[in-house]
Amino acid sequence: MSVLRRAVRPLAVILAAGILTLVAGGAAAGAPVQSSPAVASAVDDRDGPRFYSGLVIDVSGAVDGDVYATGQSVTISGDVTGDVIAAAQTVAITGTVDGDVRIAAQDVSVTGEVSRSGTVFAAGFTIGDTGSFGQDVVTAAGTVSIAGEVGRDVAASVGRLVIDGSVGGSVTYVSDDDARIAEGAVDGTVERLEPPQTPRVEVSPWAVFIGWFLGFLYALISLSLIALLAGLLLPRWLQRVTDHLTPSPWKALLVGFVASVAVPIALFFVAITIIGAPLAIAGALVWTVMVLATFVYSAFYIGRLVFRDRAHPVVMSLVGGVILIVALQIPWLNILVWLAMVFFGLGAQLLELHRQRPWHRTPTAIVGPALPADQTTAHAQPPSAGVAPQAGVTSPPPPSLRTDPTAPPAP
């Protein structure tokens, strides 16, 4: 356990190594930096610390100091008197490192000599036959293979551990599977620790029922108040909207379904344009309000069906809301109820908005000024057959009895 405690701080250094090497060139003022988009290498003797970044890094010379490297592939084939801190996809140490190594990579292989300790975070970590560490090795990896020498202890959190070489101290590892360790490969003790398991919390059925009941009670009270206020404040508008569900509910269902699919897509395409983004935000807010309002309209419509339009709007809204809330609490059925509530509610709202458009209203008749009595008499229509003329009203003579003013008088 003491080895694992010592492993916590080095593992934290691994994550810092990647960040440090990425910004090392700007952070180390005056320090020599060698970088290239393709290959960066050191073939001559240099004083450290040295910072390398590039696609492929090959430190093949001697460095008197520390080496910081980041890239896709990092190889330390020279002699380094200090530490090696690297972050890459693959890291290979084939040379000699007099200090410690701190590596974060996908694959790490050590076939050279490391005089002190190693801290490695990788998917695969291999210490070859010619590789060695003078002190401890702390690693967190998917697979760890030790065919070389480790001077002291090994602490690992692994999926699979194989030791065919030699370990001078103890081995402590955390894994679901037993390690494969050759006989006599470890001088000290070998201890396997089970990975920490998430504790299972046993929940009693009564606790589940009480939680469900409290949620149901909260929804019942809050949504019932909303339905009650809607029936109290907007009775006429509720009546108009739900009227579209009475003669032709399937028309409202079709309109609501098409709108539920088309409107979000249209708002998305409007939102991706720079000019239409504010309009899309406003449209999304309006659409959200309309979707939420479907509960109120559906509750009122259910109340109308129950009372056959013979109760007060507040009572119809309240009773319909209670029925709808209960239906939404039934598993599996609540999915169908929710879809029907949204589609019917949206379709009824859109149909009512379409009916309320200004150009759809019937124009009122234009009433002119009242005519004088004589003009009214002159323009009066002849009475129908079988209807006696009213007193004081003179009807014009039929066409057959009209006389020509230019004709001579009758004898």
Side-chain angles (χ1 to χ4, degrees), residues 274-340:
I274 299 177
I275 300 177
L279 181 61
I281 295 175
L285 293 176
V286 174
W287 186 250
T288 302
V289 172
M290 293 181 66
V291 172
L292 295 177
T294 56
F295 171 81
V296 177
Y297 299 116
S298 300
F300 186 79
Y301 178 66
I302 294 174
R304 290 185 62 181
L305 295 179
V306 172
F307 293 99
R308 300 179 181 272
D309 284 333
R310 296 176 183 177
H312 194 275
V314 175
V315 177
M316 292 190 294
S317 297
L318 183 60
V319 175
V322 172
I323 296 174
L324 186 58
I325 294 169
V326 173
L328 289 173
Q329 300 298 320
I330 301 176
W332 299 107
L333 179 63
N334 54 3
I335 299 176
L336 297 177
V337 173
W338 186 84
L339 291 175

Side-chain angles (χ1 to χ4, degrees), residues 4 11 120 122 138-144 155-160 172-175 195-196:
L4 289 179
L11 285 175
V120 177
V138 179
T139 180
T143 59
V144 175
S157 176
V158 296
R160 182 171 178 268
T172 305
Y173 65 100
V174 180
S175 177

Side-chain angles (χ1 to χ4, degrees), residues 163-411:
I163 301 178
D164 294 328
S166 62
V167 177
S170 301
V171 174
T172 305
Y173 65 100
V174 180
S175 177
D176 291 327
D177 302 324
D178 293 331
R180 195 186 74 183
I181 302 176
E183 185 177 357
V186 179
D187 294 341
T189 61
V190 177
E191 182 182 7
R192 182 175 78 91
L193 302 177
E194 292 288 343
Q197 301 292 333
T198 303
R200 297 182 60 183
V201 179
E202 295 293 338
V203 181
S204 65
W206 284 107
V208 175
F209 174 76
I210 292 175
W212 171 84
F213 180 76
L214 292 177
F216 170 73
L217 187 62
Y218 173 79
L220 181 64
I221 296 175
S222 58
L223 295 178
S224 296
L225 288 176
I226 294 175
L228 187 146
L229 291 176
L232 182 63
L233 301 177
L234 303 171
R236 294 184 179 179
W237 180 253
L238 293 177
Q239 185 79 25
R240 293 175 182 174
V241 172
T242 55
D243 281 343
H244 294 280
L245 300 176
T246 303
S248 56
W250 304 116
K251 180 180 180 181
L253 177 64
L254 179 61
V255 173
F257 174 76
V258 174
S260 298
V261 176
V263 171
I265 297 176
L267 291 176
F268 171 76
F269 283 105
V270 173
I272 61 178
T273 62
I274 299 177
I275 300 177
L279 181 61
I281 295 175
L285 293 176
V286 174
W287 186 250
T288 302
V289 172
M290 293 181 66
V291 172
L292 295 177
T294 56
F295 171 81
V296 177
Y297 299 116
S298 300
F300 186 79
Y301 178 66
I302 294 174
R304 290 185 62 181
L305 295 179
V306 172
F307 293 99
R308 300 179 181 272
D309 284 333
R310 296 176 183 177
H312 194 275
V314 175
V315 177
M316 292 190 294
S317 297
L318 183 60
V319 175
V322 172
I323 296 174
L324 186 58
I325 294 169
V326 173
L328 289 173
Q329 300 298 320
I330 301 176
W332 299 107
L333 179 63
N334 54 3
I335 299 176
L336 297 177
V337 173
W338 186 84
L339 291 175
M341 178 185 73
V342 172
F343 293 156
F344 280 112
L346 287 176
Q349 292 180 76
L350 294 175
L351 289 175
E352 178 60 22
L353 293 175
H354 180 266
R355 191 179 69 85
Q356 291 289 335
R357 68 189 190 277
W359 57 87
H360 186 73
R361 295 179 181 178
T362 304
T364 57
I366 301 176
V367 181
L371 296 176
D374 55 348
Q375 296 185 13
T376 303
T377 303
H379 290 82
Q381 296 295 330
S384 301
V387 179
Q390 299 180 0
V393 178
T394 305
S395 299
S400 59
L401 300 180
R402 293 178 184 174
T403 58
D404 188 358
T406 59

